């Protein structure tokens, strides 16, 4: 029996996020073969909406890992022009991942992964700047295990986070965006965290289901050289196939001057040394998805945890350009529930993971 929620998710992606219409060229890019049920629903729905062509592709992480470990310098330097050509023809891009093993890249050659990321960055840049794009996840046993859930529990959690009324959530985010737009100084205080920076002149951007599903955050960026203090992240994060826990960053004049991580200092600093911009921050965001409350070891969900912030080393977004450029964009999450305070200028915005500012109370989920 089909799970009707798969069709609901496809409708969110096609009808709301990317607004597929007659005459569109659509590229559906899936990682993991377990995503086939969603790919089928997306393909059918795009045709129903009148797309003139729908391309679909599957990536297999185990094969990609073979490339990173075995590619020669010539192979690693070959730019896949045909992929850029296809992206340039696409009006809509829908990316989905059905990862069954988040550690598949744990032993892959990190230097080659970084080199390939730099080489193929123009494809990602074109997609972000020139298509109506969205990315999502599809539930698998492996992802459920990562989240410490049964598959049934994980499916319930994923679909609840994705298949919500995004129009209503967008309206709720408006007031938070206005406060972000008006703020100068931000301060975050919590366990082993005291961080301050300016966001003056940088806009608040609503994330209301247009680019990520699940979504639910309002982000901006710090003035590049303004970050001072330290932060310790309390969510696990998987980056380039490796899990990092208890990352602690110290900042001076915007730059990460010291970075530590339980048992992974070398790997952490290896990523932060990718380029100059990797030691500066390109994004500051506040998570507001009412149905995401605990870490799942999946950044697309964890960065939206209600009562969390993420403070992201690396590349900024064009919509909120603080001038930082990097091949890295690493969303690291701090949950403020329990002992956190978020201040805009001299006003307390959120305490212990719940909004206390009178204009934002409707964002708080019912418990």
């Amino acid at each position: 029996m089909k799970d009707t929620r798969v069709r609901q998710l496809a409708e969110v992606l096609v009808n709301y996020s990317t607004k597929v219409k007659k005459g569109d060229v659509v590229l559906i890019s899936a990682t993991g073969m377990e995503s086939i049920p969603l790919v089928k629903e997306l393909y059918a729905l795009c045709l129903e909406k009148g797309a003139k062509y729908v391309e679909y592709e599957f990536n297999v992480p185990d094969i990609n890992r073979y490339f990173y470990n075995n590619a020669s310098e010539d192979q690693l330097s070959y730019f896949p022009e045909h992929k850029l050509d296809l992206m340039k023809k696409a009006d809509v891009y829908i990316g989905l991942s059905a990862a069954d093993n988040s550690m598949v890249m744990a032993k892959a050659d990190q230097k080659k992964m970084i080199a390939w990321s730099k080489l193929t960055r123009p494809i990602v840049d074109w997609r972000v700047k020139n298509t109506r794009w969205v990315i999502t996840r599809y539930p698998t046993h492996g992802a459920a295990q990562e989240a410490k859930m049964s598959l049934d529990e994980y499916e319930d959690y994923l679909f609840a986070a994705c298949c919500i009324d995004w129009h209503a959530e967008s309206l709720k985010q408006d007031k938070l965006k206005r406060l972000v737009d008006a703020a100068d100084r931000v301060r975050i205080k919590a366990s082993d965290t005291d961080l301050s920076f300016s966001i003056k002149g940088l806009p608040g951007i609503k994330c209301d289901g247009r680019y990520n599903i699940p979504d639910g955050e309002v982000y901006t960026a710090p003035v590049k050289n303004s970050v001072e203090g330290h932060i310790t992240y309390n969510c696990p994060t998987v980056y380039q196939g490796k899990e990092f826990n208890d990352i602690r960053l110290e900042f001076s004049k915007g730059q990460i001057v010291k970075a530590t991580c339980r048992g992974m200092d070398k790997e952490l600093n290896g990523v932060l040394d990718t380029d100059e911009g990797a030691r500066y921050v390109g994004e500051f965001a506040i998570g507001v998805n009412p149905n995401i409350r605990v870490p799942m070891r999946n950044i697309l969900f964890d960065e939206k945890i209600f009562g969390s912030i993420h403070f992201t080393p690396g590349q900024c977004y064009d919509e909120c350009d603080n001038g930082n450029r990097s091949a890295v964009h690493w969303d690291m999450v701090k949950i403020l529930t329990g002992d956190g305070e978020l201040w805009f200028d001299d006003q307390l915005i959120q305490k212990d993971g719940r909004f206390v500012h009178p204009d934002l109370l409707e964002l708080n989920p019912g418990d």
Side-chain angles (χ1 to χ4, degrees):
M1 181 182 295
K2 283 187 177 182
D3 188 334
T4 58
R5 296 174 299 183
V6 178
R7 175 72 178 196
Q8 284 181 286
L9 178 54
E11 289 173 348
V12 169
L13 299 169
V14 171
N15 296 335
Y16 177 82
S17 301
T18 59
K19 295 180 172 58
V20 174
K21 63 183 186 297
K22 185 176 181 180
D24 279 340
V25 173
V26 180
L27 172 59
I28 302 169
S29 181
T31 298
M33 303 303 291
E34 291 187 52
S35 61
I36 286 176
L38 180 54
V39 172
K40 289 170 66 176
E41 293 289 356
L42 289 168
Y43 187 88
L45 190 54
C46 288
L47 292 180
E48 292 171 20
K49 299 294 290 187
K52 67 181 177 184
Y53 182 72
V54 185
E55 175 79 12
Y56 61 92
E57 62 180 17
F58 288 91
N59 294 296
V60 180
D62 276 321
I63 297 175
N64 295 341
R65 177 169 53 85
Y66 187 89
F67 173 77
Y68 294 133
N69 285 337
N70 295 279
S72 66
E73 287 189 14
D74 284 345
Q75 291 164 338
L76 199 63
S77 63
Y78 176 78
F79 182 76
E81 194 73 41
H82 63 288
K83 286 185 173 291
L84 181 58
D85 289 344
L86 176 59
M87 195 66 74
K88 286 182 175 180
K89 290 178 171 60
D91 302 294
V92 171
Y93 173 93
I94 301 174
L96 54 140
S97 175
D100 198 45
N101 178 5
S102 67
M103 296 291 108
V104 69
M105 296 298 176
K107 300 297 183 181
D109 189 315
Q110 188 181 39
K111 289 182 180 179
K112 290 183 179 180
M113 291 177 69
I114 291 171
W116 186 249
S117 176
K118 288 181 178 180
L119 180 73
T120 57
R121 185 76 200 186
I123 302 172
V124 177
D125 288 344
W126 183 274
R127 185 258 294 176
V128 170
K129 295 175 182 178
N130 298 285
T131 71
R132 305 194 307 277
W133 61 271
V134 67
I135 58 175
T136 194
R137 298 291 184 266
Y138 188 79
T140 66
H141 280 286
Q145 186 176 29
E146 296 282 357
K148 299 181 175 16
M149 299 178 183
S150 70
L151 181 58
D152 287 345
E153 291 166 340
Y154 183 77
E155 287 174 341
D156 290 344
Y157 196 82
L158 181 145
F159 289 120
C162 296
C163 301
I164 64 179
D165 185 343
W166 288 108
H167 290 288
E169 289 301 311
S170 180
L171 293 175
K172 290 180 184 179
Q173 290 180 18
D174 281 333
K175 292 180 180 179
L176 179 55
K177 171 186 161 45
R178 286 196 287 270
L179 287 176
V180 171
D181 287 341
D184 176 359
R185 302 296 304 180
V186 175
R187 189 174 184 187
I188 303 166
K189 298 174 65 178
S191 57
D192 199 15
T193 295
D194 193 346
L195 198 67
S196 63
F197 51 93
S198 174
I199 56 173
K200 186 175 183 179
L202 290 156
I205 307 296
K206 297 192 305 178
C207 294
D208 51 3
R210 291 169 298 151
Y211 303 118
N212 291 339
I213 293 293
D215 216 344
E217 66 177 88
V218 174
Y219 77 87
T220 182
V223 174
K224 183 176 177 180
N225 297 314
S226 71
V227 186
E228 299 286 344
H230 64 280
I231 182 170
T232 300
Y233 300 92
N234 55 11
C235 274
T237 176
V238 177
Y239 194 79
Q240 294 180 346
K242 296 177 175 63
E243 180 176 340
F244 297 80
N245 288 280
D246 301 325
I247 292 175
R248 189 180 192 274
L249 306 179
E250 295 182 14
F251 291 85
S252 177
K253 298 180 180 179
Q255 187 178 35
I256 299 169
V257 293
K258 185 177 181 180
T260 60
C261 176
R262 177 159 40 98
M264 298 281 283
D265 287 0
K266 179 180 179 181
E267 291 83 356
L268 170 63
N269 283 279
V271 176
L272 296 177
D273 289 336
T274 297
D275 49 41
E276 182 180 356
R279 285 189 177 266
Y280 289 84
V281 172
E283 179 188 6
F284 161 63
I286 303 166
V288 295
N289 188 304
N291 294 331
I292 304 179
R293 310 297 287 278
V294 296
M296 299 172 67
R297 298 174 74 250
N298 183 318
I299 193 57
L300 193 62
F301 289 80
D302 292 352
E303 68 177 358
K304 316 302 189 327
I305 292 171
F306 189 90
S308 75
I309 60 95
H310 52 279
F311 203 60
T312 305
Q315 177 72 21
C316 66
Y317 288 111
D318 288 347
E319 295 87 348
C320 186
D321 191 346
N322 73 345
N324 200 39
R325 301 290 179 265
S326 177
V328 171
H329 182 91
W330 189 352
D331 292 311
M332 300 178 183
V333 178
K334 172 82 169 179
I335 298 175
L336 299 177
T337 303
D339 69 346
E341 294 181 356
L342 175 62
W343 293 78
F344 287 177
D345 299 318
D346 295 321
Q347 199 163 28
L348 183 62
I349 299 297
Q350 191 182 78
K351 184 174 177 59
D352 299 336
R354 291 186 70 83
F355 290 107
V356 296
H357 191 288
D359 291 348
L360 304 178
L361 297 180
E362 67 177 346
L363 278 168
N364 289 327
D367 291 320

